[in-house]
Amino acid sequence: MRAEPVLGFFSVGMIAVLAGPVLAGLIGVLLPAFGHFPQAGLTGPTFQPFRDLFDWPGIGPSIRLSVTTGLIATLASLILSLVIVATTQGTRGFAAVQAMLAPLLSVPHAAAAFSLAFLIAPSGFVARALSPWATGWDRPPDVLIVGDPQGFALVAGLVIKEVPFLLLMILAALPQVRPSQTLLSAAALGYGRVSAWFFCVFPNIYRQIRLPIYAVLAFSMSVVDVALILGPTTPSSLSVNIVRWMSDPDISLRTRAAAGAVVQLGLVLSVVAAWWLAERLCAVIGRQVGPSGRRHGWAERIWPIGAFAGMALVVTGVTGAGVLGLWSVAGFWGFPDVLPDGVSLRGWRRHASDLGKALSDTVVIAFLATAAALVLVVSALQSDRPKSARWLVYLPLIIPQTVFLPGLQTLLIGANADRGIGPVIAAHLIFVLPYVYLTLVDPWRAWDSRYASVGAALGRSPMAVLFTLRLPMLLRPVLTAVAVGTAVSVGQYLPTLLIGGGRVSTLTTEALALASGGDRQAIAVFAIMQTLAALAPFAIALGLPALVWRNRRGLSNG
Amino acid sequence: MAEGLSLRNLVVRKGAEELVRIDAHVAAGSVLTLMGPSGAGKSSLLSAIIGALPSGLTSDGEVWLNSKNITGLAPERRRIGLLFQDDLLFPHMSVAGNLAFGLAAGGSRTERAAKIAEALEQVGLAGFGDRDPATLSGGQRARVALMRTLLSQPRALLLDEPFSRLDSGLKDQTRQLVFGLIRSKGLPTVLVTHDPQDAKAAGGTVIDLGQK
């Protein structure tokens, strides 16, 4: 009763931040897609933009590429993360993977993509390590590994980032399913851990990771930054082209971009629908296979795959980061030398002023977007009603950025409000908010609400209980949510590029601007800085509570 | 029936279903014991008395404390103390910090420190102020929780199975301490329990909520 009007307002605020821009962006993209674009002197409705889009020679291959890379990346990520959990859960390897999750997750997509490129390119670290003694190469081979026409490099780059995300979602869902007891009782019936996991644990987990999977699917089909770094250019995937047309000085290309965005939305919705149908089918098949009584002992033999996949992920991440770091300080580094001739800080000095400018904008945007997200999320959680919020927070993650951000940009330009850093911060908030919510919601609900009753019985108002009891006791999850929010903001590319109209530059937009050039040292410097900006908050989130509560044993695991 | 806690036709409902109904007066310094199986609505009733019903539950009737109708007041303004089976000491504060949180505002820093030291001494925990609550034994924590509540100068007390987590030797000792303090401070008290021994030690009226 008390104080609810105010807090209700914040719940409304959260809904407004999540659904408002998506809906506005959809309107802003539908109008020009059907030829209504007053800024270019066009009034609709007409199908001309769609005709124009389908007359563009690259349309077929770019649609095919979006669908295949998105589907393969999602399937591969899902299978790998399931196998990793099923085979290693409860073992020491699992703890190792778990410990690496937060840092792997926080590494921005662009930095991960660059580090993969630096590893697997014909002149990359792997080729150097094997040359010339194993390969016979004394110059980089002339093969297209990064940017291959089938998009395998793109898929690999996506998998590296999506597996940690899905692992985290699976881990969050696990405790409610009580896997140890389930596995034990299945073992007593003669099922090995892998088949027991897939028959008894997985179906219950899947229900809870369905929305994250749809988000991964939508993201993988429409990703821009990773595709710019690792994806093919002959032609690029549909989303990359949408962004290219949106950024073109020729304003008439905007209607084609809008039509492309509508097609992109249709693609994502169809593929998600198809995935949903496939889920039903698998469930039916699963029910047929389950009671057959066969124990599927062969399944136990896949455990090395899980262990290997987990290891490969960690090794790729760590080596990739190492190679990036090495490039940022490398002197002359000719092929096929495994190590550079010398080490110097010249690259860092050369970019110092650009780095400083981009870093300060990155930090300001990330800080303000995360602070706003935290206020909205805490207020909404405090009002304790948003049961339907789970679907809602996935809205900006399932509707692709390339679908509604161009529309938002068009609307902002129309309203003459596309100026300065403010709109960029607001655009980051749309994507920071869901992650802050998802990180905080479970610890928040797990807090024993009897502490609030005790506080009230001791004469404290709900606000005082919030600030003197609940937030201090939840310091660790709150800081983790802040770290996740900051990492998400640091990694954002499209909101900064499209909403900032090219006038706001962060570490991510700077790094991507360098992607098409060949200056490896510059790329490495910006990608390392970007990674550090995303990782630093995690270090604080781990270290600060340990410091503040060093004499409080009751909070050491909270 | 002026002084004390009056529950006048207090009803707690879940939707249309009536969970529990009570009409009783608890005189100053005496204990009303509510017994009954789990799910009889005992804890919901306590929540209704302090005015913090979980969402989904509604209540009817009135709560009067010392001739004042407090039904419409927010929980923090009712001045009703609350003790659970878990001590619920705030893990991020020291023992003294927990007591200071309970202690009514006012007084200089030294006066407040003196009151807290005195309260600790009263329950045999002199010098424990700087300790981390997590390092105390169960019995010690229960005593800190009790003093935290009493320092807030409540006008009535609600006890939700407060002794059920203590082992048997400690139970007797803690019961004597709690009921002794209730009598000496003249607090009207509602006790919810499964344990007939608690009811016996409390010595007041017993209502069995299981029998309708």
Side-chain angles (χ1 to χ4, degrees), chain A residues 172-429:
Chain A
L174 264 182
Q176 303 171 41
V177 185
R178 297 203 277 178
S180 324
Q181 277 135 296
T182 310
L183 291 180
L184 198 62
S185 41
L189 297 172
Y191 287 88
R193 59 177 295 131
V194 174
S195 46
W197 204 90
F198 276 96
F199 281 128
C200 308
V201 180
F202 170 67
N204 297 315
I205 297 274
Y206 190 84
R207 212 167 315 201
Q208 293 178 63
I209 61 168
R210 174 183 286 140
L211 286 176
I213 290 172
Y214 295 167
V216 168
L217 197 51
F219 178 84
S220 303
M221 286 180 67
S222 62
V223 65
V224 172
D225 49 1
V226 181
L228 281 174
I229 299 163
L230 295 170
T233 52
T234 53
S236 322
S237 55
L238 183 57
S239 276
V240 172
N241 285 301
I242 295 173
V243 173
R244 192 167 291 143
W245 295 327
M246 280 305 289
S247 315
D248 201 288
D250 179 2
I251 197 166
S252 66
L253 280 176
R254 304 267 167 118
T255 54
R256 191 200 282 177
V262 172
V263 170
Q264 176 80 70
L265 178 65
L267 285 180
V268 166
L269 293 182
S270 324
V271 171
V272 167
W275 187 283
W276 180 83
L277 276 175
E279 276 172 19
R280 308 272 104 175
L281 203 64
C282 287
V284 171
I285 295 172
R287 271 194 288 276
Q288 299 300 317
V289 174
S292 76
R294 259 179 265 149
R295 262 50 174 171
H296 298 282
W298 57 269
E300 300 319 301
R301 264 168 274 151
I302 71 166
W303 76 264
I305 303 177
F308 178 77
M311 285 255 290
L313 196 68
V314 172
V315 168
T316 310
V318 172
T319 346
V323 171
L324 264 189
L326 203 52
W327 265 110
S328 78
V329 294
F332 179 75
W333 194 357
F335 192 87
D337 301 341
V338 178
L339 293 173
D341 280 352
V343 165
S344 84
L345 287 177
R346 229 188 38 227
W348 288 90
R349 272 199 296 271
R350 186 155 59 98
H351 299 287
S353 76
D354 288 353
L355 266 180
K357 172 85 181 59
L359 177 65
S360 74
D361 276 4
T362 304
V363 170
V364 168
I365 293 170
F367 176 78
L368 291 176
T370 307
L374 190 64
V375 170
L376 284 170
V377 167
V378 166
S379 313
L381 286 172
Q382 185 76 348
S383 76
D384 206 31
R385 266 176 310 173
K387 286 247 163 65
S388 57
R390 262 218 142 84
W391 240 109
L392 193 63
V393 297
Y394 276 100
L395 191 62
L397 307 184
I398 290 177
I399 306 294
Q401 291 193 341
T402 43
V403 171
F404 71 94
L405 285 178
L408 268 188
Q409 188 203 32
T410 308
L411 290 184
L412 284 174
I413 293 173
N416 220 354
D418 59 326
R419 299 289 140 83
I421 209 170
V424 175
I425 294 169
H428 278 229
L429 175 60

Side-chain angles (χ1 to χ4, degrees), chain B residues 118-176:
Chain B
E118 191 192 317
L120 282 172
E121 212 175 305
Q122 222 180 325
V123 290
L125 292 172
F128 274 65
D130 288 333
R131 291 277 291 270
D132 176 359
T135 64
L136 268 54
S137 73
Q140 291 169 332
R141 292 165 60 97
R143 280 177 275 161
V144 176
L146 173 68
M147 291 321 284
R148 180 175 69 180
T149 299
L150 292 181
L151 281 175
S152 72
Q153 297 175 341
R155 307 229 165 107
L157 208 53
L158 305 182
L159 308 175
D160 192 351
E161 308 207 21
F163 313 115
S164 62
R165 290 276 167 95
L166 302 173
D167 46 42
S168 52
L170 220 49
K171 234 180 220 180
D172 273 339
Q173 200 187 331
T174 313
R175 274 192 201 117
Q176 279 170 20

Side-chain angles (χ1 to χ4, degrees), chain A residues 450 456 460 468 551-553, chain B residues 76 86 91-92 94 101 132 134:
Chain A
R450 290 176 308 167
R460 293 304 198 282
T468 59
N551 294 324
R552 297 287 175 263
R553 232 169 49 187
Chain B
E76 67 269 20
D86 300 301
H92 60 300
S94 66
F101 191 88
D132 176 359

